Structure formats: structure tokens, C-alpha cells
Amino acid sequence: MYKVHIGIEIHCALRTKAKMFSSAFVTQNQDPNTSLDIIDLALPGYLPTINKKAVEYGILVCDALHCTINPVLRFDRKNYAYPDLPKGFQITQQFYPLGKNGYMMIEGQKIDIERVHLEEDTAKMIHHSQSTLLDFNRCGTPLLEIVSTAQIHSVDQACTYVKSLQQKLIYLGVTQGRMDKGQLRCDVNVSLSQNPSQLGDKVELKNLNSISHIRQALDYEIQRQSLLLDQHKKIEMQTRRFDEKTKRTILLRKKETQKDYRYFPEPNLPVIHLDKSWIQEIIARRPRDPKEILDILKKQGIDEKEAQSLLTQKDLTDFYFAVIKYTERNKDVLHLLLSDVRNQMKSHAISLSDVDPRRFAWIVDQKEENFSTNRIRQWILAFLNGKNVEDQIQKAKDEQPHVSRIEEWIRQVCDANQQSIDDYRQGKKRALSYLVGQVLKVSRGQADPALVQKKLQERLNQEKEEAE
Amino acid sequence: MPLTRENIRKQCEFAQQKTQAIVSFVVPEIQDKGRFKDIRIALKDNISLKGYPLQAGSKILEGYQCPYDATIVEKIKQEGGCIVAKTAMDELGMGGSGNNDIHGPVIHPWDASRIPGGSSSGCAALVAVDGADVAVGTDTGDSIRKPASYMGLVGLKPTYGRISRFGIVPYASSMDTVGILARSIEQVESVYDVLKGQDERDLMTFLPKSLEKAPQKKQELLRLAVFDSISEDADPVLKARLQKLIEQLETKQTIKHVQMPQSLLALIDPVYTVIANAEACSNHANLDGLRFGLSSKDQSVENIRSRGFSWEVKKRFLCGAYALHKENQERLFIKAQKIRRKLVDAYASMFTEADIVFSLTTPDVAPLISEYKEDTSIGLSYLKLSNFSGYPSISIPFGHKEGLPFGLHLAAKPCREDLLLKAAKMFSQVIQEMDHV
């Protein structure tokens, strides 16, 4: 059988306010060609600047991936002609990447990371049958390129690598990391060899927009190459794209000769010596990574499975920690987040950044007033949809009879329904429901059903104990 | 003569008849306040002036109109400067003859059979015939100082990075310097004072913290040195004048003599050719007709670029691309950078015992057009040392040969424009005294 060698190259769009070498803002959903500075169209007389935040984000990633950070910041020109590259070159870091010789642990195995470097994105090309349109909004967005060595030997491991890296990057706060939105792009190199210590001729796979695409593309490609090798045919070095409809990889272009990009240092950007203490400061201020957060959640008494579920969404995790600043009912908060809130976010496209954690916490705390979980849930849902629930809750409080009144009604009903009590004691559960209904009737619907049930059960069980 | 739109227009038209220096007449905005309020300023046509066409002497920028002002233009406008014209230049700054395929040659005001020098040819010619008081151009190898010498003007090339290049069509980014031409040192100085300064849009500009606040030393005598290696092959008339100047100076102080090895000086042109063209071919990769400039719906980028650039420019691009090719980079581009470093070190060492190093700007007066070819003699190529090193230098009027002007070149250490301008004034004084003796 053949040994599989997979190397992965990730381009991560950094969530800075401005572009990498341009002062224009990075945008997501905006009309085409509305967020541009002079350099983005490469108008005569343009000059690049450097986005400091992007460098900070780069440093965070280098540190998280255990890279050696180069404190001397240098940029180079990668020269080639293409309509989506207005300057005719991309500014990147060819000779002195920001970080190198790092690694990531994937299921106990160390995957070496060759380099981490900063560069800029190209414009977006939209192809029509008779023409191609260019949107330069994206042109110049800061990108971080992360290149692993070809030490991944299985499709599973490749998918785990990408997933873990994606989560790490999202939790560092440097990207939103949505593969479907092109914020995290993945190119995969794969080769097969009979001799496990040798690399075969590699094929590059592009246009992989999700983890499942990566899996499907690799599965197909490995099979394709295996067949060729079985027939003693040579694997041609080439670039292939993944076709999601047919789940096959298709030839994009052959790599007969290595393209020459005429790299040379960018003369319009000075060499910058980053202050070592500045670098240390950035690293010291780094956000907690998923593993650290998991430990914290476990210490709070939260089940590991639930914690992992929470961690799959950073915005949910951030919100959880924001809310528990104002309430001690962290398990209640967690359950709400993992069920109703998560669902609402999906179905109603709600963003948690618009939700006030303090008010959320206050609603959860209303459980104190003996309101049922169901009611709390309803209020939370209403709150998420922008409704003012304070009034509703106040009204409910006003209407809610005091516990002593409920206990009074219960006493009333129990006195009048000894038969049902006996039935309950004999194990007829329906008797309890009947009694609850009677209490609700007597209270004219004012009592909360869940509370009534709870109090009834308490009383009945107490009486039972006393009787025994 | 008071500044009015009419007068300015008349002066410009008159100047144009004599020199063909103007590519765009600019509607003058006459201001009543600011340090430049009575000054007519011409801009080389590689400087972005909002609302006006910019071609930088090249067909490829046909139809391009600037949607923004260069930083220096913003500064000029803020100080009430009256911009009167965009002036002709060698294509994309690449050349020194003052000729251009798209609007013809700039004419030397005193002898139409001679080149005006370039690439800031229009700038110099316009100022020389009083079509403008001051002109702002660029100097990448000699493009301010050479025409200054040939037309009897003051031409300053400040320290690299003292004036912002934002909004200016580049040539070789590591050497491009904004320069100023005028008929007097005082005018050059006043314009430099306004234009200099750090610009956050040009990261190669800087504020020389330590030097800006250099303690004003007492009226110390400037230490002077003459750059001997340069004038060996100069015209005898010019050489004699230089000798006379040295003798005049020696009555008041000792003049050192400094040299650089001829073998090293001979490398200036090949190094320049490699580095400047490499940077230029990359810089101009944005000129493809897709977003601005020369375009045609049915034509490919290849076709547009073929039509848009002159043969001279194409030749330089090829040279630059060749030097950057993977197989060649080590022995051409990288080697050239290393030699540049050696040249700069040797140049800098001349300033250890001298504040000012002087020499003839050009070895002769403006050459005849019929005899002109790219001159690679050391007497001219040495001017590129200022651009390799970034050191400031200035050319001031020195004398005449058969009615044609030639200049004296002064250089100083980085950020010592104060000493440079002081020296320029002192030298001018001595030159005047020389002629009255």
C-alpha cells in the first residue's frame, strides 16, 4: 500500500478594521468597489502603509503555533500579472516570514509548521459568460498564510488539523474563520509513495470550502493517484480543483515549470525592528485558548460534553462568560445557550453582540421568584427578538400569588380530595395531575403550574414520610 | 508684476512658445495668504494634481485624470501657492534628454540645438524663462541637478525621505527624491521648508529627531572638500573655472581633496541600470489599461502595453525583469545591491573630514542634440551617488561657456540641508567675488 503525505496551506483573513497595506476598511457585505483607497486600484502615485493590528494578530498566531518570531519585519514583492492584482505584484513576506519552525499537536502527533507570514488578498473576480467583473473591496485584506510540512498521513488527520487550527485561530480572535465565506481558505498538497520515507510527486488541491470538501477531495485524489501508481504511471505535478457536484478533483492547470515571481524586497516599506517587549506584551495579553476554557468550565462543574458543545461557537462561549458575571446560575445559562439561544441564533440570524448579557442574566435570575423554566425560556426568546420583557416579568411578578397563597390553595384542595391523595400514594401518577388541575382551578389560573406541582409533591411526600 | 490669472497665462504662453515645456496649463488659484502666496509654481507631470491629467510623459497614461492631490501639492495649496502648469518630462522619468514621444522635446531656451537635460526638463526650462518662479520635480539619478546645470538654475535634491513621495509616479522607489528648481537659493530654501516633513502615507519619510534639534553651533567654518576624481575628463573651460574657485577659497581656508577609486566609480552606471530598471519594471506593472489610462475594449493588456510604452522604456523594463529573474538575481540584482553598499560606504567616507564635498555638476555645458547619447562618463554618472546614498545635494549656477550655463555641485551628510544651503550661499558669494576681481 502507499503512504500518504499531506501538506496543508491555510490562508486566514484577519479581522482587522483596515486593510493590510491600505487605509481602506475591510468589509464583508458591501456594494462592490465602495471600500477602496488609492493603492487598492494601484492608481499612479500609490504607496503602501502597514497595519499594526495585523502584525499583532500575526504575532498571536505565531506564538500559539510555537513559532520562532522574527522581530525584524520585512516585506517582499511577488511579481505576476493578473487582473485581480492591480499593482502587478502582491506584497508578502517571502524571505523573512513573521514566524517559522512552529508546530501543532494533533492527537498526540507533532505536525511541523514551516512558516507563518503576512500578505494581502487579491480582488474578487466574478465570472459571467461574456465577461468578468472585478470587485476590489476585498483587494488588500490582511491574510495570514500558515504552511505545514507534509507530515500528515491520513485524511482524518488532515481534517482534524484544519478543524483544530480553525478553532485556534477563531479563539485567538484574529479571524471569524468561516470557510464558506472565504475567511479561511485551504489548499492541500497530497502525494503517495511506496517508500514511506520518500515523498511522491505532489498534486495541489484548491477550492476546498469546507471540512467535508477536504475529506471528499482527498478521498478521491488518493484513490486516483493509487490507481495510477498501480498501473506504474507517473503522477504529473499539477493543480486540481474540487468539484462538489461530482465529488471529484478536476485538472485546473499543469505545473510544467515553476513560475518565477521575481521576488525582491519591497522598497517602499522600511525594515522595522519590532520591540521585543512589545511582542511580549501582545503575547501576555493573548486570549484564552479552547483547552484553557474547557478546564475553567469543568472547574465550574460543567459536563465535558456540554462544554465542548459550547466551545464549538466562540460567540456563544464569549457570551456565556459575559453573562455569568452577573448571575451564579451558570448551569441554567449554559443550558439556555446550548438549546434555545443557539437555535434562535440560527433561525433568526441573531447576533449575540447585540444582546445585553446583564439583562440576560437578570432574566435567568427570575427563577428565584419561582417562575418555571419554561417561562424563563419564553422570556429569553422574546428578549433575543428585541422585545422588552421587563414589563412582562413585572406583570407576572405582580400577578403571581405568594407562595403562602399557593400553599393555602393546595391545602384547600387536598382537604377536599382525600381519594386522589390515596390514589397517588398507591402509585397512580395521574392523581397528581388531577390535583394540580384542581389547584389551578381554585386559583383561577393564577398559580404557576410547575410551582404548584412542585409544592404538591413536596407536601404529599412530606405527609407520606410522616405517615411512615 | 502682480499675480493675476491674465498675467500668469500670458507668461506661461510666452514661456511655452520658447520652450514647449508645458503639458497642461493649470487654472491658477490666486491666494492672499500663506508663505507661497505670490509664488508661481510648476509641477513635473509625474505629480498628482487633482482634477488634471497626469501622463508622466507616457502614452500609457493617456486619458488619466488625477482624483487626488499628492501630499506636496496639498502642502503647496495650504500655503497659498499658485500652481500654473504641469511640465514635460522624459517618459516615466527614464531619460535625460528632455525628449518625449508624445509631446516632443523641451527646447533649451538659449540654444535650441542643445538638450535641456532631464528628466525634469520642462520644470527647469519653464523656470529659466520665468514662466514660473519655482518648479517641483523629481531626481532619481540626476534629473533635477543636470537640467539645473544646463540652464543656470539652482536645483536641490534633498535627503531621501525628507519630502513625501505620496502621489508621485515612481521610477526607482529606493532612489526617487522630490527636488526643487528655482533661480535663487532663497526661493529653493523657502519651498523646501514647507515641503519637508514626515508623511504617514509615505513610510520612507522620517523626522530626523536628533538632527532637527541640533544645537545651533556658532558660525563655524564649513569644512570643504573637492571631489577630484570627477573632473578629470571635464571640458577645459569648466575645469579651469573650478581651479580658480579652489584658489579663491584657499585664500580663506584649507580645501581638502577627496577621491574614490576609478574602478569603483565605473560601476555606478551598471549598478544603477540594474537596480533602477528592476524597481521600475515592477513599479509600472500597474499600468495595464484595465483601470485607467490608455485602453481599448478589444485589445489585450499585452497590446496596450506594447503601444503604451516607448522602445526605450520597454528596453529598461526587460533589463530590470531580467536582473530579477530567479536564475540571474544573485549575480545581477543582489550583486548590484552589494556594490551599491560599497559605493555608498566609499562615498560616506569622504564626509568624515568634510561637511561639504563639491565638484562640477556636469563635465560640460548642454550637449548638442545631434551628438547626444546616454553619457556614461564618470563626470555625469557620479551624480547618482547622491541617489544611491540618499545624501542631499544641490547644483548652483557656476559659470558660462560660450553663453551656455554650467553648474557647481555641492553635497552634504544626510539631513544637513542646513549646511548645504548655507554652503550654497557662501559659494555663490565667492563665485560672484571671483567674477568681480
Side-chain angles (χ1 to χ4, degrees):
Chain A
M1 260 292 85
Y2 303 109
K3 178 105 182 193
V4 174
H5 307 270
I6 297 171
I8 299 180
E9 201 175 283
I10 298 239
H11 284 91
C12 164
L14 299 177
R15 58 183 267 274
T16 52
K17 279 208 193 103
K19 297 181 178 182
M20 185 70 227
F21 303 108
S22 150
S23 311
F25 290 137
V26 171
T27 67
Q28 276 285 314
N29 311 302
Q30 196 144 320
D31 288 335
N33 295 314
T34 48
S35 189
L36 307 174
D37 202 342
I38 287 155
I39 190 173
D40 300 321
L41 289 177
L43 294 184
Y46 73 81
L47 284 174
T49 49
I50 301 175
N51 186 325
K52 191 171 172 185
K53 201 62 172 187
V55 177
E56 281 183 36
Y57 285 170
I59 288 170
L60 280 176
V61 175
C62 286
D63 174 64
L65 296 176
H66 314 102
C67 293
T68 312
I69 295 175
N70 191 339
V72 181
L73 197 65
R74 280 190 242 237
F75 293 97
D76 308 300
R77 289 189 185 181
K78 178 180 185 183
N79 299 279
Y80 67 95
Y82 209 63
D84 67 0
L85 195 66
K87 297 190 298 299
F89 59 85
Q90 181 199 39
I91 302 178
T92 178
Q93 294 185 298
Q94 175 65 10
F95 300 116
Y96 299 96
L98 182 64
K100 59 181 187 177
N101 301 334
Y103 65 88
M104 208 162 75
M105 298 302 294
I106 299 295
E107 290 156 353
Q109 193 195 332
K110 187 166 176 250
I111 307 291
D112 284 335
I113 288 174
E114 221 171 78
R115 54 157 56 218
V116 174
H117 74 250
L118 289 161
E119 58 184 31
E120 50 171 345
D121 209 348
T122 56
K124 208 189 285 188
M125 302 223 295
I126 301 140
H127 300 287
H128 295 288
S129 53
Q130 298 291 355
S131 60
T132 296
L133 301 177
L134 284 158
D135 177 9
F136 291 91
N137 281 350
R138 191 185 76 179
C139 192
T141 302
L143 292 179
L144 203 62
E145 182 172 323
I146 302 165
V147 181
S148 85
T149 51
Q151 288 173 311
I152 296 167
H153 299 299
S154 75
V155 180
D156 277 339
Q157 208 178 44
C159 294
T160 309
Y161 173 86
V162 176
K163 236 195 193 151
S164 306
L165 185 55
Q166 181 187 36
Q167 195 189 45
K168 220 187 247 284
L169 294 169
I170 292 172
Y171 272 84
L172 279 172
V174 306
T175 183
Q176 286 183 309
R178 293 278 299 263
M179 284 183 79
D180 55 340
K181 284 190 177 172
Q183 292 161 345
L184 196 81
R185 287 169 236 164
C186 203
D187 294 337
V188 178
N189 289 318
V190 55
S191 74
L192 269 54
S193 64
Q194 202 123 43
N195 183 346
S197 59
Q198 274 184 352
L199 292 173
D201 292 313
K202 66 179 180 193
V203 169
E204 187 188 18
L205 305 177
K206 288 182 104 76
N207 186 35
L208 304 165
N209 298 335
S210 69
I211 309 272
S212 63
H213 282 187
I214 294 174
R215 179 176 294 278
Q216 288 164 356
L218 279 172
D219 280 338
Y220 177 83
E221 183 59 24
I222 289 169
Q223 199 188 42
R224 186 190 78 90
Q225 289 191 24
S226 298
L227 280 169
L228 286 171
L229 287 176
D230 285 344
Q231 295 164 11
H232 300 290
K233 291 203 181 132
K234 191 172 192 302
I235 307 289
E236 288 180 44
M237 300 251 283
Q238 59 194 254
T239 301
R240 299 175 75 86
R241 64 173 186 85
F242 178 68
D243 182 62
E244 47 186 306
K245 281 191 222 120
T246 58
K247 310 236 192 298
R248 298 162 49 224
T249 62
I250 297 175
L251 174 68
L252 205 55
R253 54 179 173 268
K254 294 214 179 126
K255 284 196 193 184
E256 291 120 355
T257 46
Q258 282 278 43
K259 201 155 182 213
D260 179 11
Y261 294 108
R262 288 178 264 124
Y263 292 102
F264 73 98
E266 171 56 70
N268 287 318
L269 292 176
V271 169
I272 296 179
H273 293 258
L274 301 173
D275 200 10
K276 291 226 166 94
S277 57
W278 181 72
I279 296 175
Q280 287 311 317
E281 223 182 289
I282 291 166
I283 292 172
R285 283 190 277 119
R286 70 170 175 79
R288 289 189 286 245
D289 75 29
K291 193 166 178 303
E292 289 166 329
I293 300 175
L294 182 66
D295 288 339
I296 292 171
L297 290 170
K298 276 155 80 171
K299 283 210 190 93
Q300 287 180 357
I302 290 183
D303 169 61
E304 170 144 3
K305 238 183 163 186
E306 285 184 327
Q308 292 283 21
S309 179
L310 181 69
L311 284 169
T312 59
Q313 276 176 266
K314 180 173 188 285
D315 47 0
L316 221 56
T317 307
D318 287 345
F319 191 71
Y320 168 80
F321 282 102
V323 171
I324 64 169
K325 277 199 245 177
Y326 304 108
T327 172
E328 284 174 8
R329 295 177 180 271
N330 58 335
K331 292 213 175 106
D332 288 331
V333 173
L334 181 71
H335 293 146
L336 280 166
L337 291 178
L338 292 181
S339 56
D340 297 289
V341 176
R342 176 175 269 168
N343 294 339
Q344 270 299 88
M345 279 169 70
K346 221 175 169 178
S347 60
H348 289 61
I350 290 167
S351 165
L352 284 175
S353 54
D354 298 330
V355 182
D356 183 349
R358 181 183 280 223
R359 287 172 70 199
F360 190 100
W362 180 81
I363 298 172
V364 174
D365 272 343
Q366 296 315 304
K367 255 200 138 182
E368 196 90 5
E369 305 285 328
N370 290 316
F371 289 121
S372 67
T373 313
N374 250 347
R375 267 190 124 176
I376 304 279
R377 281 177 62 211
Q378 279 166 23
W379 283 325
I380 289 285
L381 286 175
F383 174 60
L384 286 178
N385 282 296
K387 304 236 177 16
N388 184 337
V389 294
E390 271 85 348
D391 291 343
Q392 281 184 44
I393 293 175
Q394 190 55 49
K395 189 159 181 260
K397 275 194 197 159
D398 292 339
E399 284 174 0
Q400 186 168 2
H402 198 262
V403 173
S404 56
R405 280 222 69 195
I406 292 177
E407 284 170 348
E408 170 67 42
W409 284 323
I410 287 172
R411 206 176 322 124
Q412 250 185 281
V413 163
C414 283
D415 288 344
N417 288 281
Q418 190 56 45
Q419 182 62 45
S420 299
I421 293 174
D422 291 336
D423 285 344
Y424 176 71
R425 292 231 182 92
Q426 280 168 25
K428 290 185 184 157
K429 291 285 158 72
R430 270 200 300 142
L432 181 65
S433 310
Y434 172 75
L435 288 170
V436 170
Q438 288 303 303
V439 175
L440 288 178
K441 202 167 158 192
V442 151
S443 75
R444 280 181 238 188
Q446 276 182 49
D448 179 58
L451 183 60
V452 167
Q453 175 153 330
K454 182 174 157 210
K455 286 288 171 191
L456 252 174
Q457 258 180 318
E458 271 175 26
R459 187 195 166 90
L460 291 172
N461 290 340
Q462 197 178 27
E463 284 183 356
K464 198 170 170 199
E465 276 173 30
E466 282 167 6
E468 282 157 7
Chain B
M1 215 174 174
L3 282 193
T4 64
R5 282 203 176 161
E6 238 183 72
N7 290 339
I8 290 171
R9 185 72 191 204
K10 279 202 200 124
Q11 287 156 356
C12 280
E13 277 169 1
F14 175 71
Q16 183 70 340
Q17 271 175 20
K18 289 198 86 178
T19 62
Q20 293 301 306
I22 300 176
V23 294
S24 296
F25 287 85
V26 175
V27 176
E29 302 286 338
I30 298 167
Q31 314 268 25
D32 60 355
K33 54 172 182 257
R35 283 184 273 181
F36 288 164
K37 70 179 168 75
D38 294 319
I39 300 182
R40 296 164 300 157
I41 300 178
L43 300 173
K44 189 170 176 180
D45 199 31
N46 58 0
I47 298 173
S48 294
L49 174 62
K50 188 170 177 180
Y52 282 86
L54 176 144
Q55 267 194 270
S58 184
K59 192 170 169 61
I60 198 121
L61 282 168
E62 194 176 273
Y64 173 66
Q65 211 180 50
C66 297
Y68 73 103
D69 279 331
T71 297
I72 55 171
V73 172
E74 283 179 355
K75 289 188 168 193
I76 289 169
K77 285 182 177 177
Q78 255 165 25
E79 288 294 346
C82 187
I83 300 168
V84 303
K86 298 294 294 295
T87 59
M89 54 185 281
D90 294 70
E91 185 172 359
L92 299 170
M94 298 192 236
S97 67
N99 198 353
N100 184 285
D101 283 349
I102 56 172
H103 47 59
V106 170
I107 302 167
H108 195 304
W110 296 299
D111 186 342
S113 66
R114 297 183 180 268
I115 64 162
S119 61
S120 308
S121 27
C123 281
L126 200 62
V127 169
V129 300
D130 199 23
D133 297 306
V134 160
V136 181
T138 56
D139 185 312
T140 304
D142 56 21
S143 301
I144 286 273
R145 294 161 289 153
K146 197 165 84 168
S149 177
Y150 290 164
M151 284 190 267
L153 300 171
V154 178
L156 170 70
K157 183 208 86 67
T159 310
Y160 176 82
R162 289 299 276 132
I163 299 183
S164 172
R165 291 168 301 131
F166 178 77
I168 300 178
V169 176
Y171 168 7
S173 308
S174 70
M175 300 191 262
D176 291 341
T177 317
V178 176
I180 302 155
L181 288 150
R183 290 183 300 276
S184 78
I185 297 167
E186 284 73 20
Q187 279 209 309
V188 164
E189 189 170 17
S190 63
V191 175
Y192 170 68
D193 264 337
V194 168
L195 296 187
K196 74 177 195 243
Q198 195 170 28
D199 181 12
E200 62 183 12
R201 293 179 291 188
D202 176 355
L203 290 188
M204 301 308 280
T205 57
F206 60 94
L207 211 64
K209 291 181 213 157
S210 53
L211 294 160
E212 284 255 293
K213 299 190 176 137
Q216 287 292 351
K217 290 194 186 144
K218 283 178 293 183
Q219 290 294 80
E220 268 178 26
L221 215 56
L222 290 167
R223 295 170 304 165
L224 307 174
V226 60
F227 195 173
D228 279 341
S229 328
I230 297 314
S231 27
E232 279 173 25
D233 296 322
D235 178 87
V237 170
L238 279 72
K239 250 170 126 168
R241 189 148 174 90
L242 183 65
Q243 189 53 38
K244 194 172 174 195
L245 175 66
I246 295 170
E247 284 160 15
Q248 187 82 3
L249 290 166
E250 277 175 336
T251 60
K252 302 214 182 95
Q253 64 180 101
T254 25
I255 304 294
K256 282 188 106 73
H257 290 256
V258 288
Q259 297 90 15
M260 275 173 66
Q262 287 288 323
S263 53
L264 200 54
L265 291 170
L267 289 169
I268 293 173
D269 265 317
V271 166
Y272 182 81
T273 301
V274 167
I275 298 175
N277 291 334
E279 292 183 3
C281 83
S282 175
N283 281 334
H284 295 307
N286 64 329
L287 304 175
D288 53 18
L290 290 176
R291 297 168 308 288
F292 53 83
L294 183 71
S295 70
S296 169
K297 257 202 160 151
D298 301 324
Q299 290 179 343
S300 64
V301 169
E302 193 181 310
N303 182 288
I304 288 180
R305 281 174 66 91
S306 295
R307 284 198 296 128
F309 297 120
S310 66
W311 167 232
E312 176 63 38
V313 162
K314 281 184 210 159
K315 196 175 68 175
R316 292 182 183 226
F317 285 169
L318 283 169
C319 176
Y322 183 76
L324 287 173
H325 243 338
K326 212 170 173 174
E327 308 93 62
N328 307 325
Q329 224 190 78
E330 188 67 46
R331 69 182 173 85
L332 288 177
F333 185 73
I334 293 174
K335 192 79 177 275
Q337 296 281 29
K338 289 182 181 166
I339 301 172
R340 175 181 175 171
R341 169 57 57 202
K342 285 219 189 296
L343 281 161
V344 170
D345 287 342
Y347 188 64
S349 67
M350 296 195 302
F351 290 83
T352 46
E353 307 273 298
D355 297 309
I356 302 288
V357 172
F358 66 94
S359 52
L360 293 166
T361 309
T362 50
D364 203 346
V365 295
L368 290 167
I369 296 171
S370 51
E371 289 172 9
Y372 179 71
K373 57 184 190 324
E374 284 288 318
D375 191 343
T376 56
S377 71
I378 288 167
L380 263 180
S381 64
Y382 90 95
L383 292 170
K384 292 164 177 150
L385 290 169
S386 297
N387 304 83
F388 284 168
S389 62
Y391 281 38
S393 55
I394 191 169
S395 179
I396 58 174
F398 190 18
H400 290 82
K401 176 185 122 174
E402 292 152 23
L404 291 160
F406 59 88
L408 184 73
H409 188 266
L410 310 175
K413 285 202 271 261
C415 305
R416 297 318 306 261
E417 280 83 354
D418 59 325
L419 295 182
L420 189 66
L421 291 161
K422 180 175 169 189
K425 289 174 195 161
M426 187 272 282
F427 271 81
S428 285
Q429 186 78 14
V430 174
I431 292 165
Q432 266 189 345
E433 283 165 11
M434 255 167 67
D435 292 333
H436 288 147
V437 157

